[in-house]
């Protein structure tokens, strides 16, 4: 018997130390009503009478069975899971954190939207829809967030995913206060409600209209929200724009369907101004009538697709240009050139822009260290601090003074360059980069990896840019691990697990260790081995769906394989919400200090106690 789809509504109006939000309960009640009318099973959790906590959500979705283990039955094998959250949120691109009742500063009591979505994916739904009506404003984020659920082992399906955010990264969502005559409401959910309540032409799927069907689909809902949320916000003197990434594929992509039109399809109505505008702007020609054959409809949709692709390419070029830096890439390249001029050919060199930096190997011996000062150009000196050996599974534990610690994996035949700067009397890593000891003059550079990391952190790069970055590392003479890591986080933002698996396959195929973050985001099992981890990469099937400029390797079939993992923990801070299921004792030691995970994009723990605890655990388990 086919299971019903599942709707999960989470509403938090009154988190600690934050302003109460009007309209939250009405919003989640209406969404539950809509879901009930569309034959969903309903789970609704709010803070009307009881605090919303991670444990409350977890125990509701996976209650304990008779043996005290989480029971996954509520979530298993749903055709679709829709998650709707309304409340306060903060951004940590490419992720968003949903704030629960304990407030924004309790890192394990806020939800990582991406990690929660990916944990749900392990319960084998066919589709997941993530609808978030919450701010994505900048916040001094420390610590991590929670994935809420334990990842269910044995899952192999990569569900289709729709992602609807109420605002753009770094901006706010708005709630309209109640007045004497009107109740308060949420701007984004107000537009969402209109889209799902009645047909008005602009919310309907154009292809299905050719078949005389009035349906709101994944794509048409995305278009409607991106067009109408700004208008809804202007009505209350606010600026707000939705960001939507539709991923459901026809024919199972409908959210709401209304009664069929009587007579001719709406798109053939010459008085439909909305349609005429669509015809002129999007297709450059009229759509086929219902009397024409299916080939004409395909040609009509192809024209729309081509124009959308051209628009996307122009926007992508602008984003990449905005990501370029006048000092990051030149600095790294110059340091690489000077290392080669000095005939320093050892595979592991750390260039650290921090005073009194100590570079420690897992066996306790010191490595070479290079100091430089960006303010005085790129002058630096090589300090031979002892002998070292190159073992590709090893990780450097960098302790800066007694208050800052970073974990940097080593890659064979590559220099590791770590650049930092003081922030409020503490040290913060700005970026880490790896460059080949052989040089990279013949490698094509769309943008440098240190620029891509900056673009990821600031939100200049989007999930649609992932294929471009993956293409750069795929065709480069020497792979750039950080470029692959950034591409993986962008793929993950759209829930594209298949291409993360493809990236892992190519690292293993070319004899490169798989960066820890790629294995983590791909939900690959981390199998402990001497000095680190190995993993198994599953087969990925070939896909026929492709963007015009998408490289072939982002569509092709890849075979199952296994490979060594580079690193022992997430290289970037964005990966820590995914670490909740690891039982490795070193990761447990890190989780105990997770609130001391600093704001640097590179994993950096701050504070004397955290650095001591993690340093001791590091030397114990990876010596």
């Amino acid at each position: 018997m086919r299971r019903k789809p599942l709707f999960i509504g989470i509403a938090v109006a009154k988190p600690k130390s934050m302003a109460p939000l009007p309209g939250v309960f009405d919003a989640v009640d209406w969404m539950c009503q809509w879901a009930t009318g569309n034959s969903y099973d309903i789970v609704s959790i709010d803070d009307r009478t009881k605090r919303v906590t991670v444990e409350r959500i977890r125990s509701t979705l996976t209650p304990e069975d008779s043996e005290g283990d989480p029971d996954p039955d509520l979530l298993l094998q749903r055709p679709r899971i829709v998650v709707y959250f309304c409340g306060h949120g903060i951004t940590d691109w490419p992720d968003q954190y949903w704030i629960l009742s304990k407030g924004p500063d309790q890192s394990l009591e806020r939800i990582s939207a991406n990690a929660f979505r990916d944990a749900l994916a392990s319960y084998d739904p066919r589709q997941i829809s993530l609808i978030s009506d919450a701010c994505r404003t900048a916040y001094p984020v420390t610590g991590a967030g929670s994935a809420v659920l334990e990842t269910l082992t044995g899952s192999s399906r990569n569900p289709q995913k729709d992602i609807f955010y109420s605002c753009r990264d770094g901006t706010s969502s708005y709630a309209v206060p109640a007045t004497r005559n009107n109740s308060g409401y949420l701007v984004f959910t107000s537009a969402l409600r209109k889209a799902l309540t009645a047909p008005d032409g602009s919310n309907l799927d154009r292809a299905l209209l050719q078949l005389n069907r009035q349906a709101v689909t994944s794509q048409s809902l995305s278009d409607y929200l991106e067009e109408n949320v700004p208008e809804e916000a202007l009505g209350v003197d606010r600026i707000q724009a939705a960001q939507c990434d539709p991923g459901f594929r026809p024919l199972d992509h409908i959210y709401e369907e209304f009664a069929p039109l009587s007579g001719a399809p709406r798109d053939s109505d010459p008085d439909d101004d909305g349609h005429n505008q669509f015809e002129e702007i999007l297709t450059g020609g009229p759509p086929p009538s219902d009397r024409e054959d299916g080939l004409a409809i395909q040609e009509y949709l192809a024209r729309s697709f081509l124009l959308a692709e051209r628009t996307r390419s122009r926007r992508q070029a602008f984003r990449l240009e905005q990501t370029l830096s006048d000092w990051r890439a030149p600095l790294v390249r110059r340091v690489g050139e000077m290392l080669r001029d000095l005939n320093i050919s050892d595979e592991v060199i750390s260039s650290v822009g921090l005073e009194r930096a100590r570079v420690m190997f897992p066996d306790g011996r010191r490595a070479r260290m290079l100091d430089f000062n960006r303010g005085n150009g790129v002058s630096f000196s090589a300090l031979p601090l002892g002998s070292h050996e190159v073992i590709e599974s090893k990780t450097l534990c960098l302790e800066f003074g007694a208050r800052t610690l970073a974990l940097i994996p080593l890659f064979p035949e590559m220099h590791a360059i770590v650049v930092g700067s003081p922030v409020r009397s503490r040290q913060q890593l700005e970026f880490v980069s790896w460059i080949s000891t052989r040089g990279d003059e013949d490698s094509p550079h769309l943008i440098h990896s240190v620029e891509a990391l900056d673009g990821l952190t600031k939100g200049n790069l989007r999930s649609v840019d992932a294929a471009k970055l993956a293409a750069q590392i795929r065709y480069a003479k020497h792979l750039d691990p950080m470029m692959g890591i950034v591409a993986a986080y962008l793929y993950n933002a759209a829930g594209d697990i298949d291409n993360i698996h493809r990236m892992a396959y190519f690292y293993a195929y070319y004899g490169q260790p798989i960066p820890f973050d790629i294995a983590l985001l791909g939900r690959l099992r981390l199998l402990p081995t001497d000095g680190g981890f190995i993993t198994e990469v599953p087969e990925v099937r070939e896909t026929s769906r492709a963007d015009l400029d998408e490289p072939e390797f982002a569509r092709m079939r890849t075979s199952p394989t296994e490979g060594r993992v580079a690193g022992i923990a997430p290289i970037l801070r964005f990966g820590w919400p995914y670490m909740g299921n690891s039982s490795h004792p070193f990761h447990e030691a890190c989780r105990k200090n997770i609130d001391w995970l600093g704001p640097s994009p590179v994993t950096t723990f701050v504070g004397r106690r955290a650095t001591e605890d993690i340093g001791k655990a590091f030397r114990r388990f990876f010596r």
Side-chain angles (χ1 to χ4, degrees):
M1 180 178 178
R2 181 178 171 87
R3 300 199 72 180
K4 291 182 178 181
L6 176 66
F7 176 85
I8 302 171
I10 303 172
V12 184
K14 302 167 287 186
K16 183 179 179 181
S17 75
M18 302 186 80
L21 285 173
V24 166
F25 301 138
D26 288 343
V28 74
D29 287 347
W30 186 87
M31 289 299 297
C32 288
Q33 179 184 346
W34 165 80
T36 300
N38 283 273
S39 300
Y40 284 72
D41 286 335
I42 308 296
V43 172
S44 183
I45 302 171
D46 61 55
D47 62 345
R48 267 175 268 222
T49 60
K50 185 178 179 181
R51 292 193 305 176
V52 178
T53 64
V54 166
E55 180 54 37
R56 181 181 169 193
I57 299 171
R58 179 188 296 118
S59 62
T60 300
L61 298 179
T62 54
E64 290 186 357
D65 59 19
S66 58
E67 297 180 356
D69 297 320
D71 184 352
D73 184 65
L74 177 66
L75 301 175
L76 281 176
Q77 298 178 339
R78 296 281 183 170
R80 178 182 295 173
I81 296 178
V82 175
V83 179
Y84 171 77
F85 176 85
C86 55
H88 283 286
I90 54 179
T91 190
D92 188 25
W93 177 257
D95 204 349
Q96 182 189 31
Y97 291 153
W98 296 337
I99 307 304
L100 303 184
S101 295
K102 292 187 179 181
D105 297 321
Q106 300 295 316
S107 63
L108 296 183
E109 279 297 328
R110 58 191 181 213
I111 297 177
S112 162
N114 285 354
F116 184 37
R117 175 203 65 198
D118 293 346
L120 284 169
S122 71
Y123 292 80
D124 269 348
R126 177 177 171 77
Q127 298 175 328
I128 294 177
S129 175
L130 198 70
I131 304 174
S132 172
D133 195 342
C135 288
R136 301 173 72 195
T137 50
Y139 188 85
V141 176
T142 57
S146 175
V148 181
L149 302 171
E150 292 185 9
T151 300
L152 197 65
T153 58
S155 170
S156 59
R157 179 182 294 171
N158 179 25
Q160 301 168 23
K161 300 178 182 73
D162 269 356
I163 302 171
F164 301 125
Y165 284 122
S166 60
C167 59
R168 302 289 174 87
D169 184 58
T171 63
S172 298
S173 289
Y174 292 101
V176 179
T179 64
R180 180 175 298 178
N181 299 321
N182 298 293
S183 58
Y185 65 93
L186 306 179
V187 167
F188 173 79
T189 301
S190 175
L192 178 64
R193 180 173 182 172
K194 290 176 182 178
L196 299 176
T197 297
D200 69 358
S202 61
N203 63 340
L204 301 178
D205 186 275
R206 298 290 175 177
L208 290 178
L209 272 173
Q210 306 302 315
L211 305 176
N212 202 20
R213 294 179 65 182
Q214 295 194 109
V216 180
T217 63
S218 172
Q219 183 62 60
S220 72
L221 180 58
S222 171
D223 293 341
Y224 180 91
L225 292 171
E226 291 190 339
E227 179 180 350
N228 287 272
V229 168
E231 294 182 7
E232 191 84 18
L234 287 176
V236 290
D237 297 323
R238 295 291 185 269
I239 297 176
Q240 179 177 336
Q243 181 179 321
C244 304
D245 291 303
F248 290 178
R249 297 190 285 275
L251 297 168
D252 188 16
H253 62 323
I254 295 174
Y255 280 88
E256 184 66 71
E257 186 161 8
F258 308 106
L261 290 167
S262 58
R266 181 183 180 93
D267 274 1
S268 65
D269 183 355
D271 297 324
D272 182 353
D273 294 337
H275 161 65
N276 290 337
Q277 183 181 23
F278 173 86
E279 170 190 317
E280 294 171 4
I281 295 176
L282 186 56
T283 69
S289 70
D290 59 331
R291 294 183 297 275
E292 294 181 287
D293 60 19
L295 180 60
I297 293 178
Q298 293 178 18
E299 293 174 348
Y300 164 71
L301 294 175
R303 291 200 309 269
S304 302
F305 176 76
L306 284 170
L307 185 59
E309 284 297 305
R310 290 170 188 154
T311 301
R312 194 190 76 168
S313 294
R314 287 195 297 269
R315 291 174 177 171
Q316 184 179 66
F318 175 77
R319 286 196 303 275
L320 293 175
E321 183 178 354
Q322 293 295 107
T323 304
L324 297 178
S325 166
D326 61 356
W327 70 270
R328 288 173 176 258
L331 174 64
V332 172
R333 292 188 178 116
R334 179 73 184 281
V335 169
E337 291 171 2
M338 298 180 77
L339 288 171
R340 288 185 284 273
D341 289 343
L342 291 172
N343 294 319
I344 299 177
S345 59
D346 300 306
E347 287 84 345
V348 184
I349 303 290
S350 178
S351 177
V352 185
L354 302 171
E355 294 182 0
R356 297 183 300 278
R358 286 191 298 153
V359 181
M360 297 183 64
F361 266 77
D363 61 2
R365 290 180 295 174
R366 292 180 175 180
R368 295 180 184 268
M369 182 174 67
L370 296 169
D371 287 329
F372 68 91
N373 186 331
R374 179 161 63 93
N376 297 328
V378 243
S379 59
F380 63 95
S381 59
L383 304 176
L385 299 179
S387 61
H388 66 278
E389 58 183 342
V390 179
I391 303 176
E392 62 184 36
S393 65
K394 298 296 185 180
T395 296
L396 291 175
C397 181
L398 278 65
E399 297 182 17
F400 308 112
R403 299 180 61 83
T404 306
L405 179 147
L407 302 165
I408 308 297
L410 312 181
F411 290 85
E413 298 185 345
M414 287 190 178
H415 299 307
I417 298 179
V418 185
V419 176
S421 61
V423 177
R424 295 181 181 177
S425 75
R426 288 186 177 180
Q427 304 292 356
Q428 174 174 297
L429 296 187
E430 291 199 28
F431 61 78
V432 60
S433 180
W434 295 272
I435 58 173
S436 172
T437 58
R438 304 175 186 176
D440 62 350
E441 294 79 4
D442 298 329
S443 301
H445 281 289
L446 182 70
I447 57 175
H448 197 281
S449 68
V450 292
E451 297 169 331
L453 176 59
D454 193 43
L456 174 75
T457 303
K458 295 179 179 177
N460 290 337
L461 297 180
R462 298 295 173 191
S463 55
V464 294
D465 302 319
K468 284 270 188 185
L469 302 185
Q472 179 170 320
I473 68 163
R474 173 65 176 83
Y475 296 119
K477 182 179 178 181
H478 304 290
L479 298 185
D480 186 334
M482 182 55 75
M483 187 65 81
I485 292 165
V486 171
Y489 279 100
L490 293 175
Y491 277 132
N492 182 64
D496 189 348
I497 305 300
D498 280 351
N499 267 320
I500 296 175
H501 288 169
R502 288 187 179 102
M503 292 181 67
Y505 166 83
F506 282 114
Y507 274 101
Y509 180 83
Y510 286 104
Q512 290 274 341
I514 302 167
F516 190 98
D517 301 59
I518 293 179
L520 184 68
L521 296 177
R523 301 198 298 274
L524 305 180
R525 291 181 62 197
L526 298 171
L527 306 172
T529 187
D530 181 33
F533 301 92
I534 58 173
T535 191
E536 298 172 346
V537 184
E539 175 188 12
V540 181
R541 297 179 181 178
E542 181 180 2
T543 177
S544 59
R545 185 186 182 192
D547 296 327
L548 293 182
D549 59 351
E550 189 174 52
E552 181 182 356
F553 69 83
R555 297 179 274 121
M556 65 183 292
R557 174 188 174 273
T558 55
S559 305
T561 188
E562 63 178 31
R564 184 174 291 279
V565 176
I568 56 174
I571 299 164
L572 300 188
R573 182 171 57 82
F574 313 125
W576 282 94
Y578 291 84
M579 291 299 295
N581 292 318
S582 174
S583 59
H584 194 282
F586 176 73
H587 296 151
E588 291 178 356
C590 291
R591 280 200 301 270
K592 291 178 182 178
N593 294 280
I594 200 69
D595 284 335
W596 296 102
L597 184 63
S600 168
V602 181
T603 289
T604 309
F605 288 91
V606 296
R608 186 179 299 274
R609 177 178 175 181
T611 56
E612 288 179 355
D613 286 353
I614 295 172
K616 288 178 182 178
F618 176 83
R619 288 183 284 274
R620 177 181 177 187
F621 297 109
F622 299 104
R623 196 176 183 88

